[in-house]
Amino acid sequence: MGLDDEAREYHRRNPPGKLEISTTKPTNTQRDLSLAYSPGVAAPCRDIADDPDQAYNYTAKANLVGVVSNGSAVLGLGDIGAQASKPVMEGKGVLFKRFADIDVFDIELDLDDPSDIVRSVRAMEPTFGGVNLEDIKAPECFEIEERLRTEMSVPVFHDDQHGTAIISGAALLNAAELVEKDISDLKIVFSGAGASAIASARFYVSLGAERENITMCDSTGIITEARAGDLNEYKREFARDAPEGDLADAMAGADVFVGLSVGGIVSPEMVRSMAENPIIFAMANPDPEIGYEEAKEARDDTVIMATGRSDYPNQVNNVLGFPFIFRGALDARATEINEEMKVASAEALADLAKQDVPDAVVKAYGDQPLQFGPEYIIPKPLDPRVLFEVAPAVAQAAMTSGAARKDLDVADYAEELEARLGKSREMMRVVLNKAKSDPKRVALAEGTDEKMIRAAYQLQEQGIAEPVLIGSEERIDRTAAKLGLDFQPTVVDPRDDGYESYTDRLYELRKRKGLTRSEAGELIRRDTNYFGSVMVERGDADALLTGLTHHYPSALRPPLQVIGTAEDANYAAGVYLLTFKNRIIFAADTTVNLAPDEAVLAEVTKHTAELARRFNVEPRAAMLSYSNFGSVTNEGTRKPRDAVRLLHDDPEVDFPVDGEMQADTAVVEDILNGTYEFSDLDEPANVLIFPNLEAGNIGYKLLQRLGGAEAIGPMLVGMDKPVHVLQRGDEVKDIVNLAGVAVVDAQEE
C-alpha cells in the first residue's frame, strides 16, 4: 500500500477524521447531568453574564484554540478550498493536543473576502482563548491577521507567517554563533517573498539583523526600489536601493540563504559564491531549493544546512513553535502574541539545542548522535522539554511586555507544564525539589558509562545531587569532552593508591563468608559495585546507584553483602511507582523476594508506605491475592491474610491496610465500598503488595505495557544506606530520577 492509500485508510477508519469531543466531568448519574446542563448550568451562566472573565473559570475557553482557514494556500496543494482543507486543520488540532495539551475546534470558512473572514472570526471571540490562522494566501493573510489582532482581545497568530520565522530564527541564532559571526553583520538573501519570507525577514530584524543587509528575491529577481510601483506594500518593505539582478547575483558574497520558494533553483556554483562558512536554510517542501548533500559537497569549509524535511538534520518544523507559544499565551491569558513573545520563544529554542538531549529523543531519531553543532542547531519536534522551556519563556515575555492578564510564577508554572507530560513527572518533581533542598553525594558505580556521565552532568547542573563517578578519570574526561559536557565531576578511580582501607573493610565484613584478603583487594580494584558499596558503608558517599550494565541480581549482591538491610529491617524489596492519568500506584515486591512469607509481606508493606510518603502520598495498602477476604483458604491466601493481621497488631502502622483481596477489589471503588463495605480501606488502594515475585513482576509490566502506566523504579527499600539498582538499559532520565530518590533517602537518614 502506497503512502497516499495508507493515508486515506488512516483518515476514514472508524470514526472518520482525527478529532472527537470527550467529557471532562462525570456524567454517570442524574445528579451529574443536572449539574452539567439544566438546571445547574444556570449558575455559571449568570456569573459569566455579570463578569465575562468568569468564562475562563467555568468553561473550556482557557484551553481552547480555533484553527481557522479558508483553504486558499494549503502547503503543497495551493488553493483547494475550505472543505478540502479540513483534514489539514484537524491535523493541526492533533498537534496542538499532542504537544501542548491544547484543545481545538477547526473552523473552515468558505469565504474569500478578507473583511468577511475578519467579521466571522471576530464574532467567535466568546468561544476561543486564542485563534490560529492557517493556510490563508498572501497578501490577504497580512491584512486579516493585522485587523484581527487590533479588533480582538485574545491572541491571534498566523502560523504560516510566524511559525517558520520563529523556528528558523532560533536556527539562525545558533548557526551564527557556530560560524562566529554577529547577526547584525550577516548578509541575508531570501528566495521567495510570500507570507513566510516577509514574516521571517521582519523577525530576523527583531533578532538583531540589519534591514539593509537583507536582500529579497521573488520570481522576477531582486526586489529593488526601481520595481516599487509593481510591488504590494509588503514586498515594498524590503525593496533595496540596489542594481537589478537574479538570485545568483544576490547570493554572491552572502552569509545566509533563506529559501521559501520552490525546489531546485539553487546550484552548487551559487553556494560556492557565498561568503566563508555559509548558512543555508533551504526550506521549500517537499524538495528544497538545493539538496542537503549537494550543498554540503559544494564547499570545503563549514556549511550549516537546514531544510523543511525530517530525513535531514536541522528540520525547520513549525510544530516546534505554535503549540508551545499558544500554551504560554493561554496560560498567561495574553491579549496578543507580540514580538517580545516570539523572540522569547526563538531564544528558548536556541538555548535548548545546547542542552544534553534525552535518550528517548535520540532513540526516536534512529539513535543518531544529537549534540549542539552544525548538524544540530535546533531541537527535535519530539523533544518533550520544548513545552516547559518555550511556554514559560513566552508567558514571562507576555507578563514583561504587558500583554498578560494573569500573573504566573514562572518556576511553578514550568513544573505545572511538566506535569502535563505525565503524572510521573509531577511525582518526580516532588522528590527532585526535596533533593535540591539538600543535595547529597551519590556514587555512580558505572562511572565510565556514557549515560552515567550524562546523568552526572544533569545532577550537578540542576543541583539535585553531588555525583561521584567511579572509574578511570581519563576515560570519564574523554567521554565528557566528546559529549560536549562542560563540567568537573568528582571522579574516584579504584585503581589508584590509597584505598587499602576499603580492602580492609571488605575483608572484615566478608572474611567469615569465605573471602580472602587478596580476593577483597581484587574486588575493590576491579568491581565498582563492591567499591561503591564500601564507599557508602564507610560514609564517603551518601548513596549508591548501580545496575545499568549488570543483571539485577549481580548488581544487588554487593550492596546486600556490604551494606545490608536497616537495623529495623530484615528484608529489602523492589518497588515501582506506576503513574496513570489520574492515579498513582506503588507496586511491591517486583524485583527481590521470590516467595515471601507473611513476615516479609508485612515488612515490605511498611517500607513501601514509607516510600510513598517521600512522594507526599498518604499510603493505603492492599494485600493482593486471587481470594477476597477468606473466600478461598489455602497456604497461598493465608500468607497475605496473616500479613494484614501482623500489620494491624503493629503499633507503628498508622496507615490503612487490608486484604487478602483481588486486584480489582483493591482499585475499584464501587467493588471495594459496594460489596466489601467492612474493609479498612475507604478509598481504593495506592500501595499494592503482590503475593510473590512472579506476580509482582508480571503485574507491574502488564500495567506498564497494556495499562499505559509510566514506571519509575525499581526503588530499593529496606536497605541500611540508600542504594538503588537500575534496570539494564535504563535511560539518563531514569538514572537522574533514582538519584533524586536516593538523595531524599539520604536526607531521611
Side-chain angles (χ1 to χ4, degrees):
M1 184 184 292
L3 179 63
D4 286 352
D5 289 338
E6 191 175 347
R8 291 186 180 102
E9 176 60 27
Y10 173 88
H11 281 79
R12 68 180 169 226
R13 188 187 311 148
N14 266 336
K18 299 186 287 282
L19 299 173
E20 67 177 7
I21 295 175
S22 62
T23 59
T24 60
K25 300 293 188 299
T27 56
N28 300 318
T29 67
Q30 179 59 41
R31 181 66 173 172
D32 292 338
L33 295 177
S34 68
L35 293 172
Y37 197 55
S38 180
V41 75
C45 288
R46 285 193 295 268
D47 290 351
I48 295 170
D50 293 337
D51 178 7
D53 279 352
Q54 290 297 321
Y56 288 96
N57 299 322
Y58 286 132
T59 74
K61 178 173 182 171
N63 197 50
L64 188 61
V65 166
V67 173
V68 179
S69 181
N70 67 350
S72 59
V74 177
L75 181 64
L77 299 173
D79 187 352
I80 59 174
Q83 188 74 77
S85 74
K86 187 171 177 64
V88 179
M89 303 313 130
E90 283 190 356
K92 198 69 181 281
V94 168
L95 298 178
F96 267 110
K97 188 66 177 178
R98 162 65 176 79
F99 289 101
D101 195 27
I102 292 173
D103 297 316
V104 161
F105 289 158
D106 59 290
I107 308 292
E108 293 75 33
L109 298 174
D110 191 11
L111 299 170
D112 294 318
D113 184 83
S115 294
D116 291 340
I117 295 174
V118 168
R119 192 178 305 111
S120 298
V121 176
R122 187 182 59 210
M124 292 186 284
E125 181 170 345
T127 301
F128 298 113
V131 172
N132 182 102
L133 300 174
E134 190 76 14
D135 292 348
I136 301 173
K137 68 179 180 178
E140 289 90 337
C141 62
F142 295 109
E143 176 189 347
I144 291 167
E145 187 193 45
E146 288 169 4
R147 287 178 58 183
L148 287 173
R149 287 187 62 188
T150 301
E151 298 176 23
M152 297 180 73
S153 61
V154 297
V156 177
F157 184 82
H158 183 212
D159 187 43
D160 301 304
Q161 288 183 57
H162 307 298
T164 301
I166 290 165
I167 312 311
S168 67
L172 183 64
L173 290 173
N174 280 340
E177 179 181 326
L178 287 169
V179 298
E180 298 181 346
K181 295 180 181 180
D182 192 285
I183 193 169
S184 64
D185 296 328
L186 294 177
K187 292 181 171 58
I188 304 171
V189 173
F190 278 83
S191 175
S196 293
I198 290 169
S200 295
R202 288 173 172 174
F203 188 64
Y204 292 0
V205 172
S206 296
L207 292 177
E210 297 292 338
R211 190 177 296 271
E212 56 266 27
N213 288 341
I214 295 175
T215 300
M216 189 170 287
C217 302
D218 60 11
S219 57
T220 303
I222 297 173
I223 297 176
T224 65
E225 290 183 357
R227 295 175 51 198
D230 300 324
L231 303 173
N232 63 47
E233 62 179 294
Y234 305 104
K235 288 186 180 183
R236 281 199 297 272
E237 186 178 334
F238 289 96
R240 292 195 63 192
D241 182 10
E244 294 188 1
D246 59 15
L247 180 60
D249 297 320
M251 287 182 66
D255 297 292
V256 182
F257 168 78
V258 182
L260 290 160
S261 51
V262 294
I265 63 170
V266 173
S267 67
E269 290 74 23
M270 294 161 74
V271 172
R272 284 192 284 271
S273 76
M274 296 178 70
E276 182 183 11
N277 300 326
I279 299 166
I280 299 174
F281 296 165
M283 297 181 286
N285 260 325
D287 299 313
E289 285 80 0
I290 182 170
Y292 181 85
E293 291 88 356
E294 272 189 291
K296 286 283 192 177
E297 293 169 1
R299 306 176 58 119
D300 294 329
D301 58 358
T302 300
V303 177
I304 297 183
M305 178 79 172
T307 71
R309 295 177 57 133
S310 61
D311 51 349
Y312 291 111
N314 300 325
Q315 183 193 16
V316 177
N317 190 328
N318 285 16
V319 80
L320 280 168
F322 67 84
F324 316 107
I325 293 167
F326 267 100
R327 180 76 275 160
L330 289 173
D331 293 337
R333 208 165 291 173
T335 57
E336 62 176 348
I337 294 173
N338 58 31
E339 204 67 11
E340 292 91 339
M341 295 159 73
K342 290 183 281 184
V343 168
S345 64
E347 291 176 342
L349 285 170
D351 289 341
L352 182 57
K354 300 172 186 176
Q355 299 178 25
D356 188 42
V357 182
D359 291 341
V361 179
V362 175
K363 287 180 181 177
Y365 290 91
D367 288 320
Q368 298 174 353
L370 297 177
Q371 184 179 331
F372 181 59
E375 306 298 295
Y376 181 70
I377 56 174
I378 44 177
K380 294 292 188 180
L382 292 177
D383 192 330
R385 300 171 302 166
V386 178
L387 174 62
F388 45 88
E389 294 288 339
V390 173
V394 170
Q396 180 63 68
M399 291 184 286
T400 303
S401 65
R405 289 177 289 190
K406 181 179 179 182
D407 285 332
L408 298 171
D409 182 301
V410 174
D412 291 344
Y413 176 51
E415 293 184 8
E416 292 171 14
L417 289 170
E418 207 168 350
R420 284 183 178 272
L421 298 180
K423 194 75 174 173
S424 64
R425 287 179 176 269
E426 181 181 349
M427 298 307 301
M428 276 313 308
R429 186 53 52 191
V430 171
V431 168
L432 295 178
N433 283 340
K434 286 183 180 180
K436 290 177 183 179
S437 69
D438 184 18
K440 301 293 184 182
R441 298 162 299 172
V442 178
L444 305 176
E446 296 134 313
T448 58
D449 186 90
E450 181 178 305
K451 289 182 180 178
M452 283 294 193
I453 295 169
R454 290 170 55 206
Y457 173 77
Q458 292 187 25
L459 291 168
Q460 189 177 98
E461 186 78 3
Q462 298 174 36
I464 296 168
E466 299 172 16
V468 180
L469 292 165
I470 303 176
S472 164
E473 186 166 9
E474 181 184 349
R475 283 185 61 189
I476 290 168
D477 288 345
R478 188 168 59 245
T479 303
K482 183 189 78 172
L483 295 170
L485 303 178
D486 184 15
F487 79 126
Q488 295 295 321
T490 299
V491 177
V492 175
D493 190 340
R495 297 172 303 174
D496 291 345
D497 295 333
Y499 293 108
E500 282 297 309
S501 61
Y502 281 34
T503 298
D504 294 341
R505 183 57 178 157
L506 181 58
Y507 176 61
E508 180 66 27
L509 290 168
R510 302 298 297 171
K511 64 186 179 183
R512 292 188 178 274
K513 301 292 184 181
L515 187 72
T516 67
R517 197 182 189 290
S518 62
E519 288 172 337
E522 189 68 14
L523 286 174
I524 289 296
R525 285 190 299 273
R526 302 297 180 191
D527 192 326
T528 56
N529 285 325
Y530 277 101
F531 184 94
S533 296
V534 174
M535 191 178 197
V536 171
E537 195 272 341
R538 284 170 50 93
D540 294 338
D542 301 302
L544 174 67
L545 255 64
T546 185
L548 188 65
T549 59
H550 296 77
H551 288 294
Y552 194 90
S554 63
L556 178 59
R557 190 175 300 112
L560 279 176
Q561 291 177 352
V562 174
I563 296 171
T565 57
E567 282 188 20
D568 60 347
N570 295 308
Y571 310 97
V575 182
Y576 269 97
L577 169 57
L578 302 172
T579 65
F580 303 83
K581 186 174 182 180
N582 295 309
R583 175 178 289 188
I584 59 169
I585 294 290
F586 292 86
D589 174 15
T590 56
T591 61
V592 178
N593 297 288
L594 187 63
D597 61 18
E598 57 269 26
V600 178
L601 290 173
E603 188 173 310
V604 168
T605 305
K606 292 171 65 176
H607 294 327
T608 307
E610 291 170 3
L611 178 66
R613 283 176 168 154
R614 287 176 199 161
F615 283 85
N616 290 355
V617 173
E618 277 303 308
R620 301 183 299 275
M623 293 287 180
L624 300 186
S625 176
Y626 65 92
S627 166
N628 271 320
F629 304 105
S631 61
V632 176
T633 298
N634 56 38
E635 183 182 357
T637 61
R638 276 195 295 270
K639 283 193 289 187
R641 195 180 311 155
D642 290 344
V644 170
R645 177 180 50 76
L646 291 174
L647 290 165
H648 284 173
D649 292 341
D650 189 334
E652 294 182 355
V653 173
D654 59 351
F655 56 89
V657 55
D658 212 341
E660 85 286 12
M661 66 178 73
Q662 295 177 359
D664 54 349
T665 302
V667 299
V668 178
E669 187 168 10
D670 287 348
I671 299 176
L672 184 66
N673 293 331
T675 306
Y676 303 103
E677 71 283 351
F678 56 81
S679 171
D680 289 343
L681 299 179
D682 54 4
E683 294 181 62
N686 53 26
V687 171
L688 301 182
I689 307 300
F690 289 88
N692 53 52
L693 183 58
E694 187 175 26
N697 197 268
I698 292 170
Y700 101 79
K701 287 185 176 179
L702 284 175
L703 286 170
Q704 183 183 11
R705 301 301 181 184
L706 298 183
E710 293 184 61
I712 298 171
M715 293 170 277
L716 200 58
V717 296
M719 296 292 289
D720 193 41
K721 298 284 182 72
V723 175
H724 292 293
V725 179
L726 298 152
Q727 296 280 24
R728 293 182 75 181
D730 271 352
E731 297 179 1
V732 172
K733 70 177 180 65
D734 300 313
I735 302 170
V736 172
N737 285 344
L738 277 184
V741 174
V743 170
V744 175
D745 290 345
Q747 291 171 348
E748 295 287 331
E749 294 286 333

